[in-house]
């Protein structure tokens, strides 16, 4: 993938299987200072786990051992492409190996989280906050905006506004604290080539103008001096991933990037479906890779305190003589994200339906896409807001409609 310079992994001189221990030994600073000696011993034990004890294919184990990789520690500092070349295995096999090694309990930071009480978790979630969408109806439906520390899946047909919402979030996460924002940074993983810099400029200009109208005291005036279009764009890190291998490799490197950029509060993947729906013959491998990616993103959201927004395409499902649009990647993927938002058309109106959420009830609200970004539907006569499952007039489940065909069309969409 096209990586930023800051994302290059540091490795010491003479890096390789024999030098990995010197360049990436277990760093106990990642753990709470209250960790017991037994917990520290478990970390070291996990790092020293034999490669032969993992559930890898026999051929993969043989090549890893032949290349000099005998323990988890030998693999901990490698990238998928490096492991593929050094061990003589495919990039897909290298990704699976590194995901398995990285997922060992002893290598997960912040183990102290397992001792938190429910009250502490509640206080933590309230302190993390949310990212506003600039559509007040949608913000209310989401409980204040897209939540930090959770994964949100945004589904919809082409042209309905998935990318528009993601760009809006990437700008809004940078709104200064004194204006009620988070003052953070954003990472945007673009798998479709749909990220438009000029669109980001338009949304950023609108956000700056909005905050300028709200500025009252000296603190807000001072914050406006730094909240400029140039600064917004400089805090939005864009990565182009051309296939699923590059996407998985980028996701593998993200924790290191977030360590170097602790102000990041939003990670966007637009889209999660595109690289996995083309030229993928082994569906069982696809399922395993998607499940591994989902676990990585959930872990990253909770431990790093970032919001993860994933866009997903729609596909046609046929059953009982009827067809309808449903989110892609199958039913099992529907359990991956914390909440699912479906954007769809109702005639000439755009609607957002909160289809799945552990804390908010299902609801459907209208939204509008303007030159300034994601907004509320202007008065008068907005389409009705509904609560609960979205159904058709006949009472059957709604078919998330494709973009309506019109003579003039609308210039803004995905």
């Amino acid at each position: 993938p096209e990586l930023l310079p800051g994302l290059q992994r540091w490795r010491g001189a003479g890096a390789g299987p024999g030098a990995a221990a010197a360049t990436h030994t277990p760093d106990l600073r990642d753990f709470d200072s209250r960790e017991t000696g037994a917990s520290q011993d478990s970390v070291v034990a996990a790092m020293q786990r034999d490669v032969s004890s993992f559930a890898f294919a026999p051929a993969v184990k043989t090549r890893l051992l032949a290349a000099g990789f005998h323990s988890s520690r030998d693999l901990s500092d490698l990238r998928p492409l490096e492991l593929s070349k050094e061990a003589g295995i495919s990039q897909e096999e290298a990704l699976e190996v590194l995901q398995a090694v990285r997922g060992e309990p002893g290598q997960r930071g912040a183990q102290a989280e397992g001792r938190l009480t429910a009250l502490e978790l509640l206080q933590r979630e309230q302190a993390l906050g949310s990212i506003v969408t600039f559509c007040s109806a949608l913000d209310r439906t989401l409980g204040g905006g897209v939540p930090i520390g959770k994964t949100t899946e945004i589904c919809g047909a082409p042209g309905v506004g998935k990318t528009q919402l993601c760009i809006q979030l990437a700008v809004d996460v940078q709104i200064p604290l004194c204006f009620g924002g988070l003052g953070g940074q954003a990472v945007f993983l673009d798998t479709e080539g749909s990220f438009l810099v000029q669109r980001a400029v338009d949304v950023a200009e609108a956000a700056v103008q909005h905050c300028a109208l709200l500025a009252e005291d000296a603190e807000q005036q001072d914050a406006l001096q730094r909240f400029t279009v140039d600064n917004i764009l400089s805090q939005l890190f864009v990565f182009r991933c051309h296939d699923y291998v590059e996407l998985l490799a980028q996701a593998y490197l993200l924790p290191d990037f977030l360590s170097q950029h602790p102000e990041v509060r939003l990670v966007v993947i637009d889209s999660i479906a595109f690289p996995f729906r083309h030229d993928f013959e082994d569906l069982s491998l696809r399922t395993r890779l998607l499940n591994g990616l989902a676990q990585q993103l959930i872990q990253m959201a909770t431990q790093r305190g970032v919001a993860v927004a994933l866009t997903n395409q729609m596909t046609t499902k046929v059953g009982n003589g009827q067809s309808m649009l449903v989110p892609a990647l199958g039913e099992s993927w529907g359990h991956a994200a914390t909440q699912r938002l479906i954007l769809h058309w109702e005639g000439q109106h755009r609607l957002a339906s909160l289809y799945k959420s552990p804390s908010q009830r299902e609801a459907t609200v209208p939204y509008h896409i303007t030159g300034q970004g994601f907004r509320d539907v202007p008065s008068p006569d907005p389409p009705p807001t509904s609560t609960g499952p979205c159904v058709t007039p006949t009472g059957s489940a709604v078919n998330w409609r494709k973009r309506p065909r019109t003579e003039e069309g609308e210039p803004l969409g995905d």
Side-chain angles (χ1 to χ4, degrees):
E2 300 170 5
L3 308 180
L4 294 179
L7 209 136
Q8 301 300 325
R9 179 186 288 271
W10 176 84
R11 299 187 71 187
T23 59
H24 193 74
T25 54
D27 189 352
L28 297 181
R29 291 175 298 176
D30 293 339
F31 298 83
D32 192 280
S33 59
R34 297 169 294 176
E35 286 290 329
T36 63
S39 298
Q40 296 175 3
D41 291 342
S42 66
V43 176
V44 177
M47 294 292 288
Q48 295 176 345
R49 178 176 173 179
D50 290 338
V51 168
S52 58
S53 66
F54 286 92
F56 301 145
V60 173
K61 287 184 182 180
T62 301
R63 297 200 175 195
L64 289 173
L65 294 173
F69 300 103
H70 299 285
S71 68
S72 299
R73 177 178 298 181
D74 297 334
L75 298 165
S76 61
D77 198 43
L78 290 176
R79 301 179 192 172
L81 182 59
E82 293 172 335
L83 179 59
S84 175
K85 292 180 178 179
E86 294 185 25
I89 59 179
S90 68
Q91 292 189 39
E92 291 86 351
E93 290 171 332
L95 281 169
E96 286 195 74
V97 168
L98 293 177
Q99 284 179 347
V101 172
R102 197 180 184 90
E104 282 299 303
Q107 294 184 7
R108 296 174 186 166
Q111 290 297 308
E113 291 184 5
R115 298 195 299 268
L116 294 178
T117 66
L119 177 59
E120 290 172 330
L121 286 173
L122 175 62
Q123 293 171 343
R124 180 179 178 180
E125 289 186 2
Q126 292 174 340
L128 289 175
S130 303
I131 307 172
V132 297
T133 66
F134 269 45
C135 175
S136 59
L138 181 57
D139 287 337
R140 288 193 298 269
T141 299
L142 295 173
V146 175
I148 301 295
K150 293 181 173 59
T151 56
T152 300
E153 182 184 17
I154 304 168
C155 311
V160 77
K162 302 185 298 295
T163 301
Q164 299 290 324
L165 177 55
C166 289
I167 293 177
Q168 183 73 60
L169 293 173
V171 171
D172 293 351
V173 73
Q174 303 185 46
I175 295 176
L177 294 171
C178 58
F179 287 100
L182 298 176
Q185 300 173 341
V187 171
F188 200 108
L189 305 186
D190 181 11
T191 67
E192 298 185 1
S194 57
F195 178 84
L196 299 177
V197 176
Q198 184 55 51
R199 186 58 180 150
V201 171
D202 296 339
V203 175
E205 289 177 345
V208 171
Q209 294 173 2
H210 178 80
C211 290
L213 295 175
L214 298 177
E216 296 179 351
D217 55 34
E219 181 184 8
Q220 293 177 334
Q221 293 291 345
D222 182 64
L224 279 178
Q225 301 300 316
R226 298 183 299 275
F227 189 59
T228 63
V229 174
D230 288 345
N231 284 342
I232 290 174
L233 297 181
S234 68
Q235 303 301 314
L236 173 52
F237 305 97
V238 181
F239 302 84
R240 181 71 171 95
C241 301
H242 298 88
D243 54 38
Y244 75 93
V245 174
E246 292 186 355
L247 174 59
L248 293 174
Q250 187 63 71
Y252 180 84
L253 294 174
L254 266 179
D256 293 332
F257 183 80
L258 296 181
S259 296
Q260 299 170 15
H261 299 79
E263 298 301 317
V264 171
R265 288 294 176 268
L266 171 69
V267 173
V268 174
I269 300 181
D270 183 28
S271 72
I272 192 70
F274 183 77
F276 286 97
R277 297 186 70 190
H278 301 278
D279 302 324
F280 219 117
E281 298 179 357
D282 190 344
L283 295 182
S284 62
L285 174 61
R286 185 183 82 165
T287 300
R288 293 199 304 272
L289 293 177
L290 278 172
N291 289 338
L293 177 59
Q295 291 301 316
Q296 282 182 300
L297 296 175
I298 293 172
Q299 181 179 358
M300 180 174 61
T302 55
Q303 294 185 358
R304 302 282 179 172
V306 300
V308 176
L310 315 167
T311 67
N312 193 3
Q313 300 172 349
M314 304 292 279
T315 188
T316 302
K317 181 178 180 180
V318 180
N320 299 325
Q322 297 180 340
S323 64
M324 63 182 301
L325 290 176
V326 297
L329 301 180
E331 294 182 0
S332 61
W333 174 256
H335 301 283
T338 306
Q339 58 185 17
R340 169 176 276 182
L341 186 67
I342 299 183
L343 309 182
H344 56 103
W345 292 92
E346 186 68 39
Q348 297 299 316
H349 301 291
R350 288 182 169 98
L351 298 178
S353 296
L354 183 60
Y355 185 74
K356 167 194 171 186
S357 174
S359 58
Q360 305 297 319
R361 65 178 183 175
E362 295 181 353
T364 299
V365 297
Y367 66 93
H368 192 53
I369 296 178
T370 70
Q372 295 180 325
F374 213 83
R375 295 294 187 272
D376 285 293
V377 172
S379 300
D381 301 329
T385 299
S386 64
T387 300
C390 191
V391 297
T392 61
T394 60
S396 59
V398 70
N399 184 354
W400 312 109
R401 292 169 174 79
K402 297 182 179 179
R403 184 171 185 165
R405 298 180 182 273
T406 60
E407 295 182 0
E408 297 181 358
E410 296 188 36
L412 300 176
D414 273 356

